[in-house]
Amino acid sequence: MSGTTTKGQMLVAAPVRWDEACFSVPAVRALVASGLAVGVLCEERQVPFWERITGIRVTGFPPKPDVKELAAGIAGGWSGALVWEPGTAADIIVRAQIAKRIGPETKALRKVMTHPVNQVKEPGPVEHRVRFYLSLVEKLGVITSRPEFFAPLESVAPPVAGNVMLCPDSDLGVTYEWPLDRWVELAGALKAEGAKLTIAGLSGTRGKGRLLAEKLGESERFLEARPLAGALDLFAAHQVVIASESSLPHVAAFAGATCVTLFGPGDPTSRRPLGRQHGIARRHVECAPCFLEKCPMDLRCQEELNVDRVMGVVAAL
């Protein structure tokens, strides 16, 4: 499909999950650099995130939108659309009758695409998820290898030395969370080294972040990170963000924070935050990665990860 990226207009349907949205950013930046007029169609909660990327026009929609009305608003304004996954944004684009609809050749998108792209991967090592997005736009003739496509945001202010954010919550499921007593021990070790802590919590979880703040007597330093996109500058103000595998470390990395992500049932090879400056703490066990929201065994990937290992990763950064 080379040649489809000459002067034109491309509306991109943003992935719904925060980690996927972050992984798609380099591909969107590459589209902008190719000379296309690029727009992003996303849920309202993601609007502040996408608005921080130079050169794109952002259109948001509420959780339960009027698809017909939104489609009428964008109809005729775009010569093409790029859709990564099924969902509300894809429905709006189809209803708007955008003539050229490009996306992965999958069963779920068969009725959406007019120009499906075959992304069958040859057998080989596991790739980072960012390659899913980059490989598709590469097949449109777009160059994706420029370092600035992967750069975090330019922060309004540098991080404050000694500021450390802890996020015990995970919106991926209970098995993705480290035990609370281990977070308490980690907080004590960090404070002993002079760290000033902020405790972050995520909505839709068991509230382990708030519990940690209460146990530490740091309730006034508790942040409910909702919406995530509204906390970009706050993330960047911390020297290190230490978090369970969740949406938060990906958005914090995009904001410019240095992150240490605690992996349990997930796979850091394919889903670690973008950037070599970030650290990974994990206790690799024979049953990981399993990606399960409920462990059928003893959750050894979390239980066997100790504070010394996490502190070692922090020290290395």
Side-chain angles (χ1 to χ4, degrees), residues 69-148:
E69 181 181 340
L70 282 163
I74 66 171
W78 302 95
S79 55
L82 182 57
V83 180
W84 313 108
E85 62 191 23
T88 302
D91 294 342
I92 293 169
I93 285 168
V94 172
R95 189 67 178 259
Q97 297 183 337
I98 296 175
K100 183 175 289 186
R101 301 190 297 273
I102 304 164
E105 189 175 23
T106 64
K107 183 178 180 181
L109 288 173
R110 189 170 295 161
K111 294 182 179 180
V112 176
M113 298 298 100
T114 61
H115 292 70
V117 177
N118 189 329
Q119 285 186 282
V120 175
K121 182 184 176 296
E122 296 296 327
V126 174
E127 292 183 334
H128 193 280
R129 179 64 175 171
V130 72
R131 287 296 314 157
F132 168 77
Y133 298 97
L134 294 175
S135 64
L136 194 149
V137 298
E138 286 167 358
K139 290 189 177 184
L140 306 183
V142 174
I143 295 172
T144 65
S145 57
R146 285 162 52 178
E148 59 266 31

Side-chain angles (χ1 to χ4, degrees), residues 249-264:
H250 296 283
V251 178
F254 171 79
T258 298
C259 299
V260 174
T261 307
L262 279 54
F263 274 82

